[in-house]
Amino acid sequence: MDGLCLQEVYSAYYSSLQGEDKSRYRIKIGLLGCGLGDPYLIELGSAPRQQDLCMLDWQEWPEVQYPDIYNYFVITHSVYTQDMLRAYKSLDAYNLFVNGWVANVRVLCLLCDQSVFLAFAEVRHSQTISKTPVKPWVALRKNGTILCAHCTCMAGLGEACSHIAALLFALEANTQMKMNLSCTSLPCSWLPPSFQTVPYSEIKDIDFTSPK
């Protein structure tokens, strides 16, 4: 019975994991809350609450900034071992983003509860372009606080691979783009109208006399 339940709730990726890796991934999914379930099921469109999920426009993505990325990769404690991640080399993943290896970035949230956002992407291998892209996902708050992350690469089991970092740098670039939009690039909705609409009249009905 338990096996049937897992088959309904978890993805094929979860089933491919072994032993401790499987139990750790299950713990990570539990951090998401809200009954979101396995993020890889969301990508397939078969998550338990798929109908409640909403894909966001880039203007609504979480406000990820560089300190958020640094804090996660260097200071954050692993949800598994409680040790600090100290993944200094993952910060070099900025080059993966700059060189265009990050594709199909998207962010989703629950319509009824926007306390947790899920970001997905596909990251290609810089050394072997023909290989199937890996698929990182990140759970985070609106303010950019990163809750947990995962990737289908081997290093992703430790939550701190370069592909996860590349996805976060893509989100950080989106935040910078929103911050750098000048007021002249947006509709001037804050300006009062320069004139009011004046109804037309026939010439015979217009008074041309001077106020004097």
Side-chain angles (χ1 to χ4, degrees), residues 13 47 57 73 79-80 82 116 118 126 136 141 152-153 166 208:
Y13 171 79
D57 292 331
F73 278 96
V79 297
Y80 302 145
Q82 299 306 310
V116 178
L118 280 173
S126 57
R141 304 283 188 194
T152 53
C153 72
F208 290 99

Side-chain angles (χ1 to χ4, degrees), residues 191-208:
L191 287 176
S194 57
F195 62 91
Q196 296 181 348
T197 302
V198 178
Y200 70 90
S201 298
E202 295 185 10
I203 293 179
K204 65 182 181 66
D205 297 325
I206 300 176
D207 184 1
F208 290 99

Side-chain angles (χ1 to χ4, degrees), residues 89-180:
K89 291 185 178 180
S90 292
L91 297 181
D92 295 335
Y94 183 71
N95 291 329
L96 278 176
F97 164 67
V98 171
N99 293 328
W101 300 114
V102 183
N104 199 19
V105 180
R106 55 227 180 269
V107 178
L108 294 88
C109 71
L110 277 174
L111 290 172
C112 61
D113 181 4
Q114 295 191 11
S115 61
V116 178
F117 296 77
L118 280 173
F120 299 88
E122 296 176 0
V123 182
R124 295 194 174 276
H125 304 268
S126 57
Q127 302 297 326
T128 312
I129 299 178
S130 60
K131 289 183 64 176
T132 302
V134 295
K135 295 183 177 182
W137 61 258
V138 176
L140 64 167
R141 304 283 188 194
K142 178 67 174 177
N143 65 358
T145 301
I146 300 160
L147 302 176
C148 60
H150 197 82
C151 183
T152 53
C153 72
M154 290 299 295
L157 293 173
E159 297 190 274
C161 68
S162 60
H163 310 110
I164 291 171
L167 167 56
L168 289 171
F169 279 121
L171 297 177
E172 191 262 349
N174 182 76
T175 300
Q176 292 299 319
M177 181 172 63
K178 289 191 293 184
M179 293 173 61
N180 292 334

